[in-house]
Every structure is written in C-alpha cells, then in structure tokens.
Amino acid sequence: MEENWKDKHIVFFDGECGVCNFWVQWILERDQKDQFMFASLQSEFGQKFLSERGLETKQFNTMYLWKPNSYYLIKSHAVLKIANLLGGIYKLSVLGKIFPSFFRDKIYDKISENRMKMANQKCYLPTPQQRKKFIEI
C-alpha cells in the first residue's frame, strides 16, 4: 500500500464533513499532476498519522497536508501549500502569506467552527479513477 502514497502529498480531512468533502472534490478535479492522495482523519490510517505526532485524535476540525518523510502542515498553511502545488492561477495563493499566520488560522478556525452549518448534505461519489487516490476508503 505504501508504494501508492509515499511520494504523494496526503490530505487528511474530516470524512463526515460536507465542507471538507467539497474541498476534497475540488482538489481532485484540479490535481492535474496527480500529486495528492486523501485519507479521512477517522480512518485507521488517519488515526495512526495523528497519534504518531501526538496530535488530537478525537477532534476532526483541522485539515492536514503531509508529505511523507518531509513535513506536515495544518490549517491555513496546508490550504496555501495545496493551492501552490496545484499551480496555475492557484499559485497566487502565495499572496495569502502577507497576512500573519495567527490571522489566517483565526479565519480558518472560524470557518471550521461553522462548517457543519455550511455543509452541503449532498453525498459526493468519486469516480473509479478518483477512488484510487483515497487511502482506506
């Protein structure tokens, strides 16, 4: 299994959140370079990732971006890095770094607090090709 994801960027997300699932779908549709794979924080893989780093294993209100053997990023840092990796017009996300990290993360936290209210209850079904990009689906 590891061969499938060791050279990818892995997006960890709340698998029960409509907003989170929307963003996963958004990334999937724009991942032209096949750089990303996905795992829910509730999955065994997600729980192992969290516990190995001493991170909260019961709260799923934070998105993580992990490049195995390199780094992991959280909240606004993860969002900006994902946009940058997607390239094209999304590289302009680098402009978000003009705002201090605490300010960006405060906005991220506010969205996270209200995400269940904003969530579209429509269930997203990935295509068979997209399903291959999920770890433990």
Side-chain angles (χ1 to χ4, degrees):
M1 169 70 102
E2 186 174 331
E3 307 80 52
N4 296 342
W5 54 263
K6 67 178 182 174
D7 295 324
K8 305 282 185 177
H9 289 84
I10 300 169
V11 177
F12 290 94
F13 65 99
D14 180 350
E16 297 175 0
C17 168
V19 171
C20 304
N21 283 292
F22 167 83
W23 286 111
V24 167
Q25 180 181 356
W26 189 87
I27 296 166
L28 274 168
E29 291 171 357
R30 288 157 181 80
D31 185 17
Q32 302 300 315
K33 299 176 194 167
D34 191 30
Q35 303 174 85
F36 297 99
M37 291 192 74
F38 304 88
S40 77
L41 290 165
Q42 293 92 334
S43 70
E44 185 179 325
F45 187 78
Q47 288 290 293
K48 182 178 179 197
F49 168 82
L50 293 170
S51 63
E52 285 177 350
R53 288 155 186 80
L55 301 168
E56 174 59 51
T57 60
K58 303 277 189 249
Q59 293 283 331
F60 307 116
N61 58 352
T62 300
M63 180 177 62
Y64 299 88
L65 176 66
W66 180 42
K67 177 68 172 167
N69 301 315
S70 295
Y71 60 83
Y72 76 90
L73 303 171
I74 65 170
K75 298 183 180 186
S76 67
H77 297 278
V79 170
L80 292 176
K81 183 69 171 180
I82 289 167
N84 189 282
L85 288 166
L86 288 172
I89 190 78
Y90 307 110
K91 277 195 169 271
L92 291 175
S93 67
V94 73
L95 297 175
K97 290 188 176 185
I98 64 171
F99 299 102
S101 175
F102 74 89
F103 180 74
R104 293 190 322 258
D105 283 346
K106 193 170 218 48
I107 292 170
Y108 182 98
D109 289 339
K110 192 51 120 175
I111 293 169
S112 179
E113 283 174 25
N114 294 295
R115 64 195 166 105
M116 293 305 186
K117 295 176 198 166
M118 301 178 340
N120 180 350
Q121 297 306 316
K122 184 172 74 173
C123 186
Y124 169 67
L125 296 173
T127 66
Q129 188 63 26
Q130 290 172 332
R131 285 180 66 86
K132 293 176 186 173
K133 298 183 86 151
F134 287 84
I135 301 170
E136 290 186 27
I137 193 165

